[in-house]
Amino acid sequence: MPAPMLVTFAAGSTGAWKIDQIASVVGAGLPAADRLAMIEGAIPSSAPAILSAKWALRGVTSNLRYTHHTERAGMEAIQEGLARPTATRAALIPIRKNEAWWNLAQDQRRAIFEETSRHIAIGKAYLPAIARRLHHCRDLGGEPFDFLTWFEYAPQDAEAFERLVRELRVTQEWRYVEREVDVRLSR
Amino acid sequence: MPAPMLVTFAAGSTGAWKIDQIASVVGAGLPAADRLAMIEGAIPSSAPAILSAKWALRGVTSNLRYTHHTERAGMEAIQEGLARPTATRAALIPIRKNEAWWNLAQDQRRAIFEETSRHIAIGKAYLPAIARRLHHCRDLGGEPFDFLTWFEYAPQDAEAFERLVRELRVTQEWRYVEREVDVRLSR
């Protein structure tokens, strides 16, 4: 587990990723923009990249909140990191869950997350093709989402990614999602 | 579960609480100061109360990370809130856990936290006398601790509070604590 790292996703006219589409899945969407920059590490809100952005979302990589050690070991054995040269497609999926979710205790959230919805198992089935990093925002204050999930994959795995997203969106866990935006990117 | 709330503990020359003692339990302590202000809600780092402080620690109230719903219900049935007029004693105990703790998966941390160390059960045994609020700081960035726990109790429960703290500090969970400071207060 590396130490928590702040990551800012700034959408505007600069950035390594071209924004191909922004779709609202549940609730309000996000404004259109041409490019997206993923900025790792602390950055002042007065930085030009933030000030000039159409929108900027912040999240923190952190310890896993639900994954058991056998599940983590199973994923770590096969997963690959971000920034693979072949991974020229990406998706940023910001999500906010509703009050009912956050009112659940840890064992209830875990049961819905995995025993019922198989969130970990579904994600694992698409490893190593679909690389993924989760960013937490609920505790940062002032952020419109609870989580930002970032995915990277090669063009030939684009259909697999669509299946992954579809599988997750029909789970019981997703009934607690009150806002979801789907940003697709390429480079 | 209320929404996450930022809380700043600013030690200096103002604040509702008189600082009676600052003790280093493990690792570096904190500078001496006369009074402590507990500021609930967002506050700019340029605010006078922060700029003039000897030290300021920030944390966020958040969802419980380990407590099961039956455990939570058992506590909610008997616990009392902060700011009781009779609770004129308080303690602020900032803690940082080591890398080995954060490298554990969720099920391993839960097992040490409760099945082995009985953290929830120990705390519950002192309800409603010792009221308590936990603040998370690990994901905020730049904070020297992982957690700030705030306790409030009446003078006649001071001995009970010493027992509570002693019981927790001999648990297996506490072997993962690499820095702990114990700030005692009164009003």
Side-chain angles (χ1 to χ4, degrees):
Chain A
M1 273 295 116
M5 176 177 66
L6 182 71
V7 180
T8 304
F9 295 91
S13 54
T14 59
W17 293 91
K18 178 180 169 292
I19 297 179
D20 296 320
Q21 193 188 19
I22 300 181
S24 159
V25 182
V26 186
L30 285 167
D34 291 330
R35 303 199 69 89
L36 185 87
M38 177 168 68
I39 303 157
E40 298 183 339
I43 178 172
S45 54
S46 59
I50 307 300
L51 284 181
S52 68
K54 290 273 178 58
W55 48 266
L57 300 172
R58 301 180 315 140
V60 180
T61 63
S62 186
N63 58 296
L64 298 172
R65 306 287 160 88
Y66 302 109
T67 311
H68 290 180
H69 70 287
T70 50
E71 294 160 346
R72 185 175 68 179
M75 287 192 291
E76 284 176 345
I78 51 172
Q79 72 192 7
E80 294 179 2
L82 300 185
R84 293 169 294 181
T86 52
T88 58
R89 297 288 179 276
L92 173 67
I93 304 194
I95 277 177
R96 188 174 67 226
K97 286 179 172 169
N98 63 18
E99 219 183 299
W101 173 262
W102 294 111
N103 280 338
L104 295 172
Q106 177 69 27
D107 58 332
Q108 296 170 310
R109 280 181 277 110
R110 157 74 197 189
I112 293 167
F113 185 86
E114 188 58 18
E115 279 71 25
T116 305
S117 302
R118 314 296 299 159
H119 189 133
I120 298 166
I122 290 171
K124 190 185 170 194
Y126 293 92
L127 295 178
I130 315 288
R132 172 185 174 285
R133 189 168 70 189
L134 178 64
H135 311 80
H136 299 260
C137 2
R138 180 172 160 81
D139 290 348
L140 289 185
E143 289 298 317
F145 296 96
D146 292 338
F147 308 99
L148 312 173
T149 312
W150 175 258
F151 302 90
E152 288 182 7
Y153 49 94
Q156 67 264 29
D157 294 313
E159 276 184 42
F161 182 70
E162 299 306 327
R163 286 199 303 277
L164 163 60
V165 169
R166 269 201 308 273
E167 283 189 61
L168 286 171
R169 285 183 182 145
V170 297
T171 60
Q172 193 190 333
E173 183 195 350
W174 244 253
R175 296 184 202 168
Y176 295 89
V177 172
E178 66 175 16
R179 187 177 176 195
E180 178 176 7
V181 183
D182 188 330
V183 183
R184 298 303 178 90
L185 312 105
S186 60
R187 64 171 178 192
Chain B
M1 275 293 118
M5 176 176 65
L6 183 72
V7 180
T8 304
F9 296 91
S13 54
T14 58
W17 293 90
K18 177 179 169 294
I19 297 178
D20 296 320
Q21 193 188 20
I22 300 182
S24 158
V25 182
V26 186
L30 285 167
D34 291 330
R35 303 200 67 90
L36 185 88
M38 178 168 67
I39 303 157
E40 298 183 340
I43 177 172
S45 54
S46 59
I50 308 299
L51 284 180
S52 69
K54 291 273 178 58
W55 48 266
L57 299 172
R58 302 180 313 140
V60 179
T61 63
S62 187
N63 57 296
L64 298 173
R65 305 287 161 88
Y66 302 108
T67 311
H68 290 180
H69 69 288
T70 50
E71 295 161 345
R72 184 175 69 179
M75 287 191 292
E76 284 176 345
I78 52 173
Q79 72 191 6
E80 293 179 4
L82 299 184
R84 292 170 294 182
T86 52
T88 58
R89 297 288 178 277
L92 173 67
I93 304 193
I95 276 177
R96 188 174 68 226
K97 285 180 172 170
N98 64 17
E99 219 182 299
W101 174 262
W102 294 112
N103 280 338
L104 296 172
Q106 177 69 28
D107 57 333
Q108 297 169 310
R109 280 182 276 110
R110 158 73 198 190
I112 294 167
F113 185 87
E114 187 58 19
E115 279 71 25
T116 304
S117 303
R118 315 294 301 157
H119 190 134
I120 298 165
I122 291 171
K124 190 185 170 194
Y126 294 92
L127 294 178
I130 316 287
R132 173 185 173 286
R133 188 169 70 189
L134 177 65
H135 311 80
H136 298 260
C137 1
R138 179 171 161 80
D139 290 347
L140 290 184
E143 289 298 317
F145 295 97
D146 293 337
F147 309 99
L148 313 172
T149 312
W150 176 259
F151 302 90
E152 288 182 6
Y153 50 94
Q156 66 265 27
D157 295 312
E159 277 184 42
F161 182 69
E162 300 305 328
R163 287 199 303 276
L164 164 60
V165 168
R166 268 201 308 273
E167 283 189 61
L168 286 171
R169 285 183 183 144
V170 297
T171 60
Q172 193 190 333
E173 183 195 350
W174 244 253
R175 296 184 201 168
Y176 295 90
V177 172
E178 65 175 16
R179 187 177 176 195
E180 178 176 8
V181 183
D182 188 329
V183 183
R184 299 302 177 90
L185 312 105
S186 60
R187 63 170 178 193

